[in-house]
Amino acid sequence: MNLRDLKLRARSLFLRNRAERELREELEFHIERETRKLIDEGMSPEDARMRARARFGSITVAADECRDERGTAFIDNTIGDLQYALRTFKRAPLSAFTIVATVAIGLGVVGVVFTVMNVLIFRTDTVPDVNEIYAVERPQQANGGQFTRPTFEALRSDTNVFTDAYAKLNDVDLRVDGRMMSINLVSAGFFQVVNMSPVLGRALAAADDDRAGGQPVLVLSNLGWERQFKRDPNVVGRTVLVSGAPYEIVGVMPPGFRGLEVMAPDGWAPLARIGDFLPEARGNEDKVGVEIVGRLKPGVSMESARAQLAAWDANRSDAADRTMSIQLTPQRGTVPPSLEVAAMFTPLFFAFGLILLIGCANVANLLLARGVARQKEIGIRLSIGASRARIVRQLLTESVLLALAAAGGGYLVSRVALEQGVSWMMRTMPMDLGDINVGVPAADWRVAVFLVLSAIAATAFFALMPALQATRVEPVRTLRGELVKDAKPGRARNILIGVQVFASALLLICSAIFLRSSLSSAQFNPGFRTADTLLIDALNDNTKAAMMPALTGDPVVTAVAGVRPPFLAMAPRAFADAGAGKVSLPYKYVSASYFELLGIPIVRGRAFTAAEGDQHPVAIVSESIARTLWPNRDAIGETFRIERDLTVPQGSAFLNMEPGAEGDTSLTPRTLTVVGVSKSIPGFRITDVKADGIFLPTTLDAPKTGLLARVQGDADLARQGLLERLTLIDPNMGMISTLRSVARMEGFLLSLAFGVSMALGALALLLTVSGLFSVLSYLVEQRTREIGVRIALGASAQKVTHLMLRQTTTPVVLGLLGGAALAASLATFMLTTEVGGMLSSIVHVTDPVAYVSSLAVIVAACLLAAWIPASRAAKVDPMKTLRQE
């Protein structure tokens, strides 16, 4: 193919009228030349022209052959198919709209899942050459950070693989000027590595992160600027308080920049100022666990860099007994693909994809019906020479055109669903558990491509069978108006109905399970008071002494208790030896009023007294622990030896504690006497916090001790009042939450799952019922003559109704059995897994009431959908029908 051919083809595509005019002129020229030749041979002009045309042949055929030689026949045919499809839609707009709307609904709900997945997995951060940035990690590391700041500084000075690197500590949540903010602490090289400049002010400089005297400055993300400061253009230069220290806002980063994180923080601060953000880390800054990220030098491959870092790590003086190798993990601001991610999104795609499956089955049934109605048209086209493949292509072109319109509708459905879903979630979420602000995930070109490709694939796949079915006709019989028996899509129609009922059954069973579990959760009793109990996050020991009088002197507070670690934190473990060997058990420090405040009974013995502190050799054990240590004796008065369990990590979540590290220094090996046995209680099922264990005495003023308060009156009003008063003393204190909200979180998560599954189930049932109704209505219309004959021969209305109902009995029953069987199989499999075993106490996946009620709803809906057209068939007037025939 040369340049001249390309020009000719381009002109044929973009200058069609001109090309066609030139083609006609060229063909007429050849006929005219032949005519003149024959005239010169002595023929009359009329005979010469007739003979020339006869010799030349059909002008239409010759024109088609010329068009084929251009190589643009496929495009020409496609344009013709599109024009014919548009005329077809114009003749039957309701049918076209039904197909588009049905597929758009299915695509929209699938688009919701893909939009979320796109934000988490596919949409990389807006950082130049982000593929050069890697995190330095040791795989399978225990709790806590993998490295410390001294390790980071040694890596920068002793290795030569990065152009620059930085250390970071993510998601430090604290109150800044009364606002809950999420701050990432980063070393000076952060903005050099990401190579991003602020839109306002400046970024962090090296002097800001000087460990000898770093500057108290803060750089806001665009999200933090919008959420916390309402996009104030004069925000740069403002001062906010962090743990009583004034911090200057020096910059604002551009939109879209997340700092190589999945979710952007509210801002970034120098890592050297860690003591202001984590008061518990003061004096232990070099033990705080950090992550290390760097940008590879040009020409250094990831494998070469990993090998150099592994050699450096192995040769360090403190590398004794280190078995973990160094790994480099790409930093893209996305969730790394893993089996866990696949396990999370696969069920969501399956559940949401069932709606698309039902919608496509509805479309296929509608296209099957249209195919029967268009048999005469197809027969005419076959009789005048069109091939079956050409007609199938035309029918598929119509389907693809509808799919593109459905993709646009699916985008609108997905946006509306996301906005309404996020709005509903934010309205129903217990907000006193944290300042959570979930935004609506943004869509980009990936979402658009996904919707278009999914629409084309789904519609084309489900349209192929109806297209093939529609072309199985005999032209002679169809031209006489006969309906070809082989073209009646009975088996395909029944399969599609069964698929719809199957998907509806599966989704409705899930929604019923979540509903029943949610109702059961509302009745669950954790074993302690929740309605009037507050959790107070006041771990800053420098301000706690000033806060205690304000707390105990408040008239709404009737009692205060202390617990260490905080109430919802994971309890450390210790070895307890009562003479039969060591047993690893959880333990907590609690104040004297702890059990009375929470309403946990002391079933034997006594509670702690106010005079008993951290080092008193007494303990209270729960009933289950008492049975473990002294199975055949009363625990009161028994003694046991306790010592730290150094095989598990302990201490602050931010400190780099590994097995054998410092941990809880207040627990020294000693012998304790049991003075009380508390009732065993279930506790909260949504956390790993164990309600039972060993309880050691402490006081309210002990370091790192969290606070509980019992209030009178409305707990929410009391919480808000205490928050306002206590933040005047410590502007950076954490949250004050009600235990009632913590207890409601389980119900909230279950109601969220129920709401999603119920919406999907209701949508699935609605599509199934509408599809069933449409199919039976069409069958009644097609079989009007047969029904009239049956009635004329003596068939009763009841028999006619039963005849029509039997059309869908088999596929509906098989769909119900298949959906219930798959739901039961998935439930059985889930119970065999570790996660499923944990969830089984909350979500009752084998609840027989949920199964039976869901199937009953589907049966009732299907009967109603089938009864209306069936009863209409029984009212057919046989005389009118026979006269029409």
Side-chain angles (χ1 to χ4, degrees):
M1 182 183 300
N2 53 34
L3 181 60
R4 182 173 178 273
D5 292 334
L6 289 175
K7 289 182 178 179
L8 288 174
R9 294 184 180 184
R11 187 174 62 175
S12 299
L13 289 176
F14 302 110
L15 300 174
R16 291 176 55 85
N17 293 334
R18 178 180 175 183
E20 289 296 316
R21 186 176 65 254
E22 291 176 353
L23 177 60
R24 287 194 303 270
E25 291 174 352
E26 183 177 354
L27 294 176
E28 290 293 338
F29 168 76
H30 287 293
I31 295 175
E32 185 66 26
R33 189 177 63 174
E34 184 66 20
T35 301
R36 290 184 178 277
K37 179 180 178 182
L38 293 173
I39 291 174
D40 293 341
E41 293 177 355
M43 295 184 66
S44 66
E46 293 78 8
D47 292 340
R49 182 171 295 278
M50 186 179 299
R51 178 67 62 85
R53 287 187 177 278
R55 287 183 178 181
F56 190 84
S58 172
I59 294 180
T60 302
V61 173
D64 286 340
E65 290 176 352
C66 291
R67 294 187 188 100
D68 292 340
E69 288 299 320
R70 294 174 185 169
T72 60
F74 177 81
I75 298 176
D76 292 335
N77 291 337
T78 300
I79 293 174
D81 288 344
L82 292 175
Q83 292 172 342
Y84 184 81
L86 292 174
R87 291 195 299 271
T88 302
F89 300 153
K90 189 176 181 180
R91 290 196 301 269
L94 182 60
S95 175
F97 175 78
T98 302
I99 292 174
V100 170
T102 303
V103 177
I105 291 173
L107 280 175
V109 295
V110 175
V112 168
V113 181
F114 185 82
T115 302
V116 175
M117 188 171 73
N118 176 57
V119 170
L120 296 179
I121 299 177
F122 300 130
R123 192 184 66 182
T124 58
D125 205 346
T126 55
V127 171
D129 300 320
V130 70
N131 59 316
E132 299 175 356
I133 302 177
Y134 289 85
V136 183
E137 296 179 349
R138 292 194 189 105
Q140 301 175 351
Q141 188 72 10
N143 275 352
Q146 300 185 29
F147 301 100
T148 60
R149 176 139 194 181
T151 308
F152 160 70
E153 292 174 346
L155 181 146
R156 290 189 67 189
S157 61
D158 298 343
T159 63
N160 195 33
V161 298
F162 294 126
T163 57
D164 207 342
Y166 67 91
K168 65 175 181 176
L169 180 61
N170 287 345
D171 302 327
V172 180
D173 296 328
L174 78 166
R175 208 171 281 278
V176 177
D177 263 6
R179 310 176 183 91
M180 283 302 297
M181 296 182 66
S182 177
I183 303 297
N184 285 3
L185 303 178
V186 294
S187 61
F190 170 68
F191 290 100
Q192 286 71 34
V193 170
V194 298
N195 193 20
M196 293 290 291
S197 300
V199 292
L200 295 176
R202 66 172 179 86
L204 298 180
D208 299 328
D209 191 48
D210 187 351
R211 299 186 70 187
Q215 299 299 312
V217 295
L218 190 65
V219 175
L220 296 177
S221 68
N222 195 270
L223 175 66
W225 183 35
E226 181 176 354
R227 283 183 56 196
Q228 308 294 350
F229 299 95
K230 309 303 179 186
R231 305 186 69 85
D232 178 8
N234 300 315
V235 71
V236 174
R238 284 182 57 173
T239 299
V240 294
L241 291 178
V242 177
S243 296
Y247 272 66
E248 181 185 0
I249 298 175
V250 296
V252 177
M253 297 304 293
F257 176 67
R258 308 193 301 272
L260 299 177
E261 308 300 332
V262 177
M263 301 298 294
D266 289 316
W268 296 269
L271 184 61
R273 307 290 301 187
I274 190 172
D276 293 338
F277 292 86
L278 293 176
E280 65 268 28
R282 288 174 181 163
N284 292 301
E285 287 85 352
D286 287 349
K287 295 179 180 178
V288 173
V290 298
E291 300 175 60
I292 300 176
V293 179
R295 184 183 288 273
L296 292 180
K297 284 188 172 181
V300 178
S301 66
M302 188 270 289
E303 293 78 8
S304 173
R306 189 199 64 79
Q308 293 183 49
L309 291 174
W312 163 81
D313 190 49
N315 293 327
R316 287 169 49 211
S317 59
D318 60 343
D321 299 327
R322 182 174 291 117
T323 59
M324 300 296 180
S325 62
I326 290 289
Q327 282 190 353
L328 293 182
T329 303
Q331 293 293 284
R332 307 289 185 263
T334 58
V335 176
S338 63
L339 291 177
E340 291 79 7
V341 173
M344 178 179 68
F345 279 103
T346 299
L348 290 176
F349 263 117
F350 178 74
F352 283 67
L354 288 177
I355 302 298
L356 181 58
L357 179 67
I358 294 173
C360 289
N362 258 353
V363 169
N365 261 328
L366 182 58
L367 292 177
L368 285 171
R370 286 185 65 199
V372 175
R374 296 174 67 180
Q375 279 191 27
K376 186 173 183 179
E377 170 201 337
I378 294 172
I380 293 173
R381 297 182 67 184
L382 289 172
S383 65
I384 61 176
S387 66
R388 187 184 181 196
R390 186 69 184 85
I391 297 176
V392 169
R393 174 183 165 182
Q394 167 63 46
L395 297 176
L396 289 179
T397 300
E398 295 178 10
S399 300
V400 170
L401 194 60
L402 293 173
L404 295 177
Y411 174 79
L412 296 178
V413 171
S414 67
R415 300 313 301 171
V416 171
L418 282 169
E419 290 175 4
Q420 295 300 317
V422 170
S423 175
W424 173 78
M425 185 176 67
M426 296 303 295
R427 288 196 309 268
T428 57
M429 181 181 293
M431 295 308 296
D432 59 311
L433 294 181
D435 186 12
I436 302 173
N437 187 13
V438 179
V440 178
D444 58 13
W445 63 269
R446 298 180 188 85
V447 176
V449 170
F450 171 80
L451 289 174
V452 171
L453 294 181
S454 299
I456 294 175
T459 308
F461 177 78
F462 279 90
L464 181 60
M465 178 179 61
L468 294 175
Q469 190 80 37
T471 56
R472 294 176 59 187
V473 298
E474 299 175 21
V476 176
R477 294 178 62 186
T478 54
L479 291 177
R480 291 201 302 263
E482 297 180 13
L483 186 65
V484 181
K485 183 178 180 180
D486 291 341
K488 293 181 180 180
R491 181 178 300 175
R493 182 183 59 242
N494 289 339
I495 291 174
L496 293 171
I497 291 174
V499 167
Q500 290 175 294
V501 175
F502 163 82
S504 298
L506 195 59
L507 290 172
L508 281 179
I509 288 172
C510 290
S511 65
I513 287 173
F514 284 122
L515 174 61
R516 295 268 298 170
S517 301
S518 180
L519 295 176
S520 174
S521 174
Q523 305 299 322
F524 177 75
N525 181 12
F528 45 75
R529 300 172 69 119
T530 59
D532 57 357
T533 306
L534 303 182
L535 300 178
I536 302 175
D537 186 5
L539 298 180
N540 188 347
D541 296 325
N542 296 327
T543 59
K544 185 187 293 184
M547 293 174 64
M548 287 305 300
L551 179 62
T552 55
D554 196 301
V556 301
V557 177
T558 59
V560 179
V563 57
R564 186 173 75 250
F567 187 76
L568 295 180
M570 178 72 72
R573 301 184 72 87
F575 285 121
D577 188 353
K582 294 182 178 180
V583 181
S584 182
L585 299 170
Y587 71 95
K588 290 182 178 180
Y589 292 90
V590 299
S591 67
S593 56
Y594 176 83
F595 295 98
E596 180 183 2
L597 185 146
L598 289 175
I600 302 175
I602 301 295
V603 295
R604 293 189 298 277
R606 65 173 177 84
F608 296 130
T609 65
E612 292 171 331
D614 285 28
Q615 300 305 316
H616 277 70
V618 294
I620 295 175
V621 296
S622 62
E623 290 176 306
S624 60
I625 300 300
R627 288 192 295 269
T628 299
L629 295 178
W630 302 280
N632 300 314
R633 302 196 305 271
D634 185 358
I636 300 299
E638 295 288 347
T639 61
F640 65 98
R641 184 169 178 78
I642 190 171
E643 61 183 57
R644 285 180 293 159
D645 182 356
L646 300 181
T647 63
V648 295
Q650 305 181 58
S652 170
F654 292 100
L655 296 183
N656 192 30
M657 296 298 182
E658 300 185 12
E662 181 181 3
D664 178 17
T665 57
S666 62
L667 181 63
T668 57
R670 59 185 185 270
T671 300
L672 304 176
T673 301
V674 177
V675 297
V677 176
S678 65
K679 182 180 180 179
S680 289
I681 57 176
F684 295 126
R685 298 181 294 181
I686 60 172
T687 68
D688 292 329
V689 178
K690 303 302 180 184
D692 293 344
I694 300 172
F695 300 94
L696 307 178
T698 190
T699 56
L700 292 175
D701 57 355
K704 308 298 184 289
T705 299
L707 300 177
L708 296 167
R710 183 191 296 174
V711 296
Q712 56 186 354
D714 188 290
D716 291 322
L717 292 177
R719 181 193 72 83
Q720 187 61 36
L722 282 174
L723 186 62
E724 293 174 357
R725 286 187 285 274
L726 295 182
T727 50
L728 293 176
I729 301 173
D730 182 3
N732 303 112
M733 70 170 292
M735 294 298 300
I736 298 181
S737 308
T738 63
L739 273 186
R740 179 178 58 192
S741 294
V742 178
R744 287 176 178 174
M745 273 302 296
E746 178 182 306
F748 167 74
L749 295 175
L750 288 172
S751 64
L752 183 63
F754 164 70
V756 173
S757 60
M758 187 62 200
L760 295 178
L763 191 57
L765 187 59
L766 178 63
L767 291 174
T768 300
V769 168
S770 65
L772 189 60
F773 178 82
S774 301
V775 167
L776 282 181
S777 297
Y778 175 78
L779 283 176
V780 170
E781 183 180 349
Q782 290 294 318
R783 299 180 65 179
T784 300
R785 181 182 179 186
E786 173 194 342
I787 295 169
V789 172
R790 287 178 179 272
I791 295 176
L793 294 176
S796 65
Q798 183 180 8
K799 287 186 177 180
V800 172
T801 301
H802 289 171
L803 172 67
M804 299 309 299
L805 288 177
R806 284 200 300 271
Q807 295 286 328
T808 56
T809 300
T810 299
V812 168
V813 170
L814 292 178
L816 287 173
L817 294 177
L822 181 59
S825 300
L826 292 175
T828 304
F829 171 76
M830 193 180 79
L831 290 176
T832 61
T833 64
E834 182 179 354
V835 175
M838 294 171 55
L839 292 176
S840 61
S841 61
I842 302 175
V843 183
H844 309 301
V845 293
T846 57
D847 185 355
V849 176
Y851 282 75
V852 173
S853 59
S854 301
L855 298 182
V857 169
I858 296 175
V859 169
C862 290
L863 281 176
L864 179 62
W867 184 267
I868 296 175
S871 61
R872 189 166 64 240
K875 297 177 182 178
V876 169
D877 187 341
M879 298 308 296
K880 289 184 179 181
T881 303
L882 295 177
R883 286 197 199 101
Q884 291 175 358
E885 294 297 332

